[in-house]
Amino acid sequence: MNSVFGSDYREIEETTNGIVFNIEHFHVHDGEGIRTNVFLKGCNLHCPWCCNPESISPDPQIAFYKKFCTGCGKCQNICPQHCIEITGDGKSRTDRSRCIACGACEKVCPHGARELFGHRMNVAEVMEDVEKDSFYFMNSDGGMTLSGGETCLQPEFARALIEAAHRRYIPVALETAGAVRWENLWKVAELADEILFDLKTTKTEHFAQVGNIFLKKVLNNLHNLTVNGKIITVRCPIIPNFNDTAEHLENVAKIATDFGIKKIDLLPFHQFGRHKYEAIERAYCLKEYPEMEHSKVEAMADCLRKRGFQVSVGG
Ligand code: SF4
Ligand code: SF4
């Protein structure tokens, strides 16, 4: 572990910061054992199936859950930007062009109708929360998982979080889609104990639908991680009528074999994030899309298992 030891590490942890949109405890799919997932905000891909749409913008943003709003007006009274009004249907409405994401309305809303996604946190603050689970990490070989968003878009912060975790003897899994410059990917991945590499699709023309980056570059990054000795799980979202095909499965198996990767996670498309699109007023083109049938994904997993891969479904 290439950690920064020394008397000044506290100052480093208190002065290095980034935007976090969630910290979730007791995950079991995102790395070994019991995990605490730290979600970093900001993503450079635009996968239409994203179940964390609040992760996409790099900036904090306010979400509004209309069904919980009673129109009490407390948010309107506190808003320093005067950008909230109570409309004719007895609900509040926010002029997002003037909102500065201060979070004041979230604090006063008595019904949980408002939620601020994204808080600037320093490394010490994140670790204070993560460390609460140290007992569970020790007893399950678990640890912290950095997720997103794209973790490597905040490379200094992500690296500092890994260093801080290692100072506390907490292992770290890093989730990334690898669609970033190698320098930034390696700045973070170098220290991670395991990598969860999200391989969105294996067809060049499909990849153009999720990002302004070439699949070839992503695969080069994946290859570079393997030649640098990183422990990698390839994670593949399985989307109906997009990549739920034998051809895709074959491509995944070939890439994993060529790169010496043994572990594959298949992530069936679901609709759990649907309500968040509405809450942040982001268009969602897969609103009516069918969820991926688990039996079909299990059959895909079995095909890979028969070829010697360690496969899990979900995550
Ligand atoms: S986050 Fe702040 S600026 Fe935005 S609507 Fe709420 S109170 Fe107003
Ligand atoms: S404080 Fe909450 S419940 Fe009251 S108007 Fe605002 S969003 Fe609605």
Side-chain angles (χ1 to χ4, degrees), residues 164-212:
H166 284 174
R167 276 192 287 273
R168 293 158 176 82
Y169 304 101
I170 298 172
V172 181
L174 174 73
E175 187 168 20
T176 176
V180 293
R181 284 172 45 216
W182 168 251
E183 294 73 25
N184 286 344
L185 177 59
W186 187 241
K187 182 177 273 187
V188 190
E190 180 187 10
L191 301 186
D193 302 286
E194 60 176 315
I195 312 281
L196 310 174
F197 196 99
D198 294 327
L199 185 58
K200 306 293 184 186
T201 163
T202 51
K203 282 172 92 170
T204 304
E205 61 272 31
H206 274 173
F207 209 85
Q209 294 175 35
V210 302
N212 297 319

Side-chain angles (χ1 to χ4, degrees), residues 64 68-76 84 86 91-92 105 108-114:
F64 172 59
F68 298 135
C69 176
T70 61
C72 71
K74 289 191 170 155
C75 54
Q76 187 182 34
I84 300 177
I86 305 298
K91 305 282 183 182
S92 67
C105 56
V108 297
C109 178
H111 302 291
R114 291 177 169 266

Side-chain angles (χ1 to χ4, degrees), residues 111-126:
H111 302 291
R114 291 177 169 266
E115 181 177 10
L116 184 66
F117 283 127
H119 295 85
R120 185 164 287 283
M121 296 180 79
N122 65 40
V123 170
E125 289 168 330
V126 174

Side-chain angles (χ1 to χ4, degrees), residues 62 75 78-84 94-95 98-106 114 116:
I62 197 78
C75 54
I78 199 91
C79 177
Q81 292 294 101
H82 306 292
C83 61
I84 300 177
T94 307
D95 177 354
R98 288 191 286 136
C99 172
I100 55 169
C102 68
C105 56
E106 179 197 44
R114 291 177 169 266
L116 184 66

Side-chain angles (χ1 to χ4, degrees), residues 243-254:
N243 62 10
D244 58 338
T245 61
E247 183 192 4
H248 177 58
L249 204 62
E250 184 58 38
N251 290 342
V252 169
K254 183 167 181 348

